[in-house]
């Protein structure tokens, strides 16, 4: 009985150790839960970068992301990218981005995103960039953006290196002529 109890205790402790890193990038602010905060590396001399994350509102009232701050830049704004008759348009989101109750909003390339302006230095792959988000109701919320490779489309998938494609999910183009 003692051996079984000791084994179960050891397993439970190991589960906590393994699960801890998965929860590390989850930030809670009131009813908001922020996950998957990341950015792309920027080339030397670049003055702007992007920030991407997911915000879930588990509450009963809406909140609004109105901007942010960071020591690495002079300004952090919420922007939206869209296509209009084949022309890409990017603009600040006037009044902030609403996160309705019970909804999740994903800030990602080619959509809503944080525009990190007047960078003081390039963002380098592997860095962790602190940013403070400003919400209308939740107030100031500190997060960390994990910097992925230039051109990354999201946080590195489990089992792949940062910036490496998961070839199992890539369509087969073996019959394609070059």
């Amino acid at each position: 009985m003692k051996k079984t109890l000791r084994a179960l205790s050891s397993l439970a402790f190991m589960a906590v150790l393994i699960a801890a890193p998965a929860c590390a990038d989850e930030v809670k602010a009131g009813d908001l839960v922020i996950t998957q905060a990341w950015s792309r590396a920027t080339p030397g001399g670049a003055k702007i970068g992007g920030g991407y994350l997911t915000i879930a509102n588990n509450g009963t009232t809406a909140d609004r992301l109105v901007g942010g701050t960071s020591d690495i830049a002079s300004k952090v704004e919420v922007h939206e990218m869209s296509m209009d008759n084949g022309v890409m348009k990017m603009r600040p989101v006037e009044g902030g981005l609403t996160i309705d109750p019970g909804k999740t909003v994903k800030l990602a390339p080619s959509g809503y995103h944080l525009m990190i302006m007047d960078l003081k230095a390039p963002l380098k792959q592997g860095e962790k960039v602190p940013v403070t988000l400003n919400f209308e109701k939740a107030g100031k919320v500190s997060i960390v953006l994990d910097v992925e490779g230039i051109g990354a489309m999201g946080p590195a998938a489990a089992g792949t290196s940062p910036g490496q494609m998961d070839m199992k999910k890539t369509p087969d183009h073996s019959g394609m002529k070059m």
Side-chain angles (χ1 to χ4, degrees), residues 2-178:
K2 273 187 170 181
K3 284 183 182 180
T4 304
L5 193 54
R6 191 175 301 151
L8 287 174
S9 295
S10 294
L11 283 173
F13 180 70
M14 292 297 287
V16 167
L17 289 177
I18 291 168
C23 297
D25 40 295
E26 179 178 282
V27 176
K28 293 183 180 181
D31 292 325
L32 302 179
V33 179
I34 302 162
T35 57
Q36 299 176 341
W38 67 283
S39 184
R40 290 179 172 151
T42 58
K47 289 295 182 190
I48 60 168
Y52 314 103
L53 50 111
T54 301
I55 307 167
N57 184 344
N58 296 327
T60 56
T61 60
D63 204 341
R64 189 180 312 268
L65 174 61
V66 294
T69 59
S70 179
D71 290 342
I72 63 154
S74 67
K75 195 186 282 189
V76 177
E77 296 180 345
V78 181
H79 279 223
E80 178 182 21
M81 189 179 110
S82 61
M83 295 296 285
D84 185 18
N85 292 323
V87 176
M88 182 182 78
K89 294 184 176 189
M90 192 174 321
R91 64 178 179 80
V93 178
E94 297 298 325
L97 177 61
T98 301
I99 300 94
D100 288 320
K103 302 288 182 181
T104 296
V105 176
K106 185 169 186 165
L107 282 69
S110 303
Y112 292 114
H113 59 278
L114 298 176
M115 182 62 74
I116 306 167
M117 304 166 78
D118 297 323
L119 289 171
K120 296 176 183 173
L123 302 179
K124 295 179 183 166
Q125 185 172 346
E127 287 183 335
K128 301 212 177 273
V129 177
V131 173
T132 301
L133 301 175
N134 296 328
F135 288 93
E136 191 173 75
K137 292 184 178 147
K140 294 181 186 228
V141 180
S142 296
I143 64 164
V144 175
L145 301 175
D146 293 327
V147 182
E148 301 289 330
I150 291 176
M153 292 307 291
T160 62
S161 299
Q164 174 186 352
M165 290 180 73
D166 184 351
M167 297 307 286
K168 292 176 282 206
K169 295 180 184 172
T170 305
D172 181 14
H173 296 293
S174 56
M176 202 165 113
K177 293 182 182 176
M178 297 293 209

